[in-house]
Amino acid sequence: MIETIFSVMEFCGKGDPMFGGTAADWSLYMTEDGAHAFMGAAEAQRCKLVRAYFPTAAEAEKAGAAASTRKGLISALPVKPRLEVPTGQISWIVGNKHVGEEDRELADDFADRAKRAGAGDPDLIAQIVAYALACHRANQALVTHFRL
């Protein structure tokens, strides 16, 4: 099963700026210090930041609400993982891990695995980690559902 990962957008202002409006829709990015910040794509590219990805819509919206300084409309948007994300392998590896494993341990493990496999693109690594966490959340939900 293909799990869904999410990114966050903040919609703020009204009307197209090309025609005198004030709309500025920004994505949530991960800053150098590990925090989250909303900004336009050009600014994020200049700062070499990576878009923030989340395993669930609820986690994405919570992070977006915490990072918002403009208090615009926060929306979690589903992201189709890049073709390079080995979804089947990730699902299998996560399925063989304990559902009680800490998120940080799982994230560090998959970031290390991606780097050892030759992934150099930070956006790809972020998607791999988010996908692994999404699979982890799905496994945790199964345990809760079946009361294992």
Side-chain angles (χ1 to χ4, degrees):
M1 176 179 199
I2 301 292
E3 300 301 332
T4 303
I5 59 176
F6 297 87
S7 66
V8 185
M9 290 285 293
E10 180 182 38
F11 303 98
C12 191
K14 294 186 185 219
D16 191 331
M18 191 73 163
F19 301 101
T22 61
D25 304 335
W26 294 348
S27 289
L28 187 64
Y29 290 88
M30 181 75 77
T31 60
E32 296 89 7
D33 62 356
H36 294 111
F38 281 105
M39 64 183 67
E43 177 68 14
Q45 187 176 16
R46 186 184 66 73
C47 296
K48 297 182 180 167
L49 300 180
V50 175
R51 186 176 289 179
Y53 297 102
F54 299 91
T56 66
E59 291 177 58
E61 288 175 358
K62 182 178 177 184
S68 177
T69 57
R70 302 182 306 163
K71 301 306 174 198
L73 174 66
I74 305 296
S75 293
L77 305 172
V79 174
K80 183 178 178 184
R82 292 168 49 170
L83 292 175
E84 302 94 338
V85 175
T87 56
Q89 292 174 346
I90 292 171
S91 294
W92 187 83
I93 293 168
V94 172
N96 287 309
K97 291 187 173 281
H98 192 277
V99 294
E101 185 168 349
E102 295 292 324
D103 288 352
R104 187 77 260 150
E105 290 175 27
L106 189 77
D108 291 343
D109 179 32
F110 275 89
D112 289 342
R113 286 172 185 265
K115 289 173 187 169
R116 282 192 315 242
D121 181 5
D123 185 70
L124 176 60
I125 295 170
Q127 284 196 15
I128 288 170
V129 169
Y131 190 82
L133 288 171
C135 292
H136 191 53
R137 295 290 183 283
N139 289 344
Q140 291 170 333
L142 282 174
V143 168
T144 302
H145 178 74
F146 290 111
R147 296 182 187 112
L148 297 175

